[in-house]
């Protein structure tokens, strides 16, 4: 079997197009411009790149983008004050605090200080609880993107066997919850899982979110299964020239694609969906804040 490649770049562009349409409707019909604020503490180079590209795409879909760049030695009190101001700013509908935070800051405390209604990352404990009980919540962006791709490919995933490899709060756990809410039979595998190969072989849907380059080989994949590769791992690529690197996922792409029915590539799979879903969440938050109908197809 040769797998269908699920093109995340194309899908994400489609989602951003839908977001842009909703933004236009909000502006024209209601005089509201959705606003997203991103708070960046410190100078982590990867975080700076993410924040820049989030800001650029926010503006591209017609929303207001606000960036708060704070020094690496910012105190908890000062950061909480910035978040409190954003919580109370009626022009801001989404707030994201770029992780990881410098070590001296309590990440849980900071995340839980964001108003749940504006928590477009979906990490606030209230949103975690709402998602866990099947209630309306803000859903973490990366798993939301994976769910959109699965729904698009399968229509319904009800009754399918799904295995999520990884149990992080950011990807693995909310992904498992979303699959469960869509009536899949869900197994969460992790670093202590005894026979991972055997667990994965039973899955109609495999979501790999581990952070270990190419750890899932093709012979673990059930013929025709759908493989969603969340991993982003940078490896040296001397074959491309001295000092060059390349990105690979958590699954071994060629061998998995030879057995899967559908697969997301790395790069160009899950990655682009994450920012698209952040923009989708901001529009959703804006609609909810203003008592308007939520955009269809952009939420879980
Ligand atoms: P994490 O380090 O928080 O969690 C990794 C999980 O993998 C843990 O729960 C651990 O139990 C599990 N694990 C570790 N070794 C294992 C093994 N040998 N077998 C089975 N499970 C094992 O990572 P994370 O934040 O969930 O991210 C996972 C990967 O996804 C990383 O590569 C990260 O860069 C990537 N990621 C991508 C996006 C995106 O936008 N595409 C977003 C977030 C994370």
């Amino acid at each position: 079997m040769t797998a269908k490649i699920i093109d995340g770049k194309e899908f994400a562009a489609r989602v951003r197009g839908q977001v842009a349409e909703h933004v236009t409707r909000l502006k024209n019909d209601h005089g509201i411009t959705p606003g997203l604020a991103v708070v960046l503490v410190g100078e982590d180079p990867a975080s700076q790149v993410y924040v820049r590209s989030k800001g650029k795409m926010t503006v591209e879909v017609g929303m207001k983008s606000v960036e708060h760049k704070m020094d690496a030695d910012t105190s908890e009190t000062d950061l909480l004050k910035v978040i409190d101001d954003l919580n109370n700013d009626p022009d801001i509908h989404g707030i994201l605090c770029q992780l990881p935070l410098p070590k001296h800051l309590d990440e849980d405390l900071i995340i839980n200080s964001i108003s749940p209604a504006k928590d477009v990352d979906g990490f606030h404990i209230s949103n975690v609880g709402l998602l866990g009980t099947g209630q309306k919540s803000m859903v973490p962006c990366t798993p939301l993107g994976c769910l959109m791709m699965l729904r698009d490919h399968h229509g319904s995933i009800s009754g399918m066997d799904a295995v999520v490899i990884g149990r992080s709060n950011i990807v693995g756990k909310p992904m498992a919850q979303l699959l469960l809410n869509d009536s899949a039979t869900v197994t969460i595998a992790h670093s202590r899982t005894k026979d991972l190969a055997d667990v994965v072989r039973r899955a109609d849907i495999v979501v790999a979110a581990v952070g270990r380059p190419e750890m899932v080989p093709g012979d673990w994949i059930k013929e025709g299964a759908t493989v969603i590769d969340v991993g982003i791992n940078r490896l040296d690529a001397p074959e491309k020239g001295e000092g060059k690197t390349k990105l690979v996922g958590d699954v071994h792409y060629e061998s998995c694609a030879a057995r899967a029915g559908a697969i997301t590539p790395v790069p160009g799979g899950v990655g682009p969906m994450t920012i698209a879903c952040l923009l989708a969440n901001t529009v959703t938050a804006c609609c909810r804040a203003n008592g308007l109908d939520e955009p269809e197809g952009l939420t879980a």
Side-chain angles (χ1 to χ4, degrees):
M1 171 168 278
T2 306
K4 173 187 185 288
I5 296 168
I6 300 177
D7 184 345
K9 242 171 125 173
E10 184 273 329
F11 201 127
R14 220 186 320 153
V15 172
R16 290 197 305 274
Q18 285 171 268
V19 169
E21 277 173 27
H22 287 290
V23 172
T24 303
R25 183 178 53 85
L26 282 162
K27 283 181 178 172
N28 292 348
D29 298 355
H30 304 281
I32 303 166
T33 302
L36 173 64
V38 177
V39 182
L40 174 63
V41 186
E43 271 149 30
D44 177 63
S47 295
Q48 284 179 327
V49 173
Y50 288 139
V51 167
R52 215 175 303 132
S53 93
K54 282 168 187 171
K56 186 169 161 272
M57 290 195 185
T58 305
V59 172
E60 274 172 14
V61 295
M63 300 200 287
K64 175 179 165 171
S65 167
V66 175
E67 277 177 31
H68 283 270
K69 292 193 173 146
M70 305 183 75
D71 294 339
D73 61 358
T74 295
S75 72
E76 212 154 77
T77 313
D78 287 349
L79 179 54
L80 288 170
K81 169 81 175 74
V82 166
I83 292 176
D84 190 48
D85 289 346
L86 293 169
N87 282 341
N88 291 308
D89 184 341
D91 291 340
I92 295 298
H93 305 94
I95 304 169
L96 177 152
C97 190
Q98 185 66 43
L99 302 179
L101 288 170
K103 293 270 177 293
H104 68 283
L105 298 169
D106 179 341
E107 226 162 72
D108 288 337
L109 179 86
I110 301 301
I111 296 303
N112 290 325
S113 74
I114 296 171
S115 160
K118 296 190 179 188
D119 167 40
V120 281
D121 252 344
F123 297 157
H124 190 288
I125 192 73
S126 296
N127 282 315
V128 176
L130 290 167
L131 181 65
T133 48
Q135 300 180 68
K136 200 182 267 190
S137 65
M138 296 307 305
V139 177
C141 304
T142 301
L144 178 59
C146 296
L147 181 75
M148 283 183 187
M149 294 196 283
L150 285 168
R151 282 181 177 169
D152 185 67
H153 181 67
H154 287 286
S156 165
I157 58 173
S158 175
M160 294 179 83
D161 279 317
V163 170
V164 179
I165 317 175
R167 56 174 161 183
S168 72
N169 291 338
I170 292 172
V171 189
K173 281 187 216 158
M175 185 73 246
Q177 195 63 61
L178 287 169
L179 292 163
L180 186 61
N181 290 356
D182 265 25
S183 300
T185 301
V186 184
T187 303
I188 306 176
H190 47 77
S191 51
R192 304 291 175 91
T193 297
K194 275 200 184 117
D195 189 347
L196 186 58
D198 188 50
V199 172
V200 174
R201 278 193 191 108
R202 285 185 255 137
D204 304 311
I205 293 170
V206 180
V207 181
V210 183
R212 286 179 166 239
E214 301 177 325
M215 71 164 276
V216 177
D219 67 355
W220 289 10
I221 300 298
K222 179 164 134 181
E223 197 75 35
T226 300
V227 177
I228 305 289
D229 192 352
V230 181
I232 302 177
N233 308 287
R234 191 169 286 284
L235 295 184
D236 290 337
E239 72 277 10
K240 288 168 72 181
E242 206 188 306
K244 295 281 182 196
T245 60
K246 63 175 176 184
L247 290 181
V248 299
D250 287 345
V251 312
H252 184 267
Y253 184 77
E254 284 77 19
S255 61
C256 289
R259 287 175 70 94
I263 189 166
T264 59
V266 175
V270 175
M273 289 299 286
T274 298
I275 296 185
C277 288
L278 172 69
L279 304 176
N281 276 349
T282 306
V283 162
T284 299
C286 178
C287 291
R288 287 179 187 168
N290 289 283
L292 300 168
D293 287 344
E294 287 172 25
E296 252 177 61
L298 295 182
T299 49

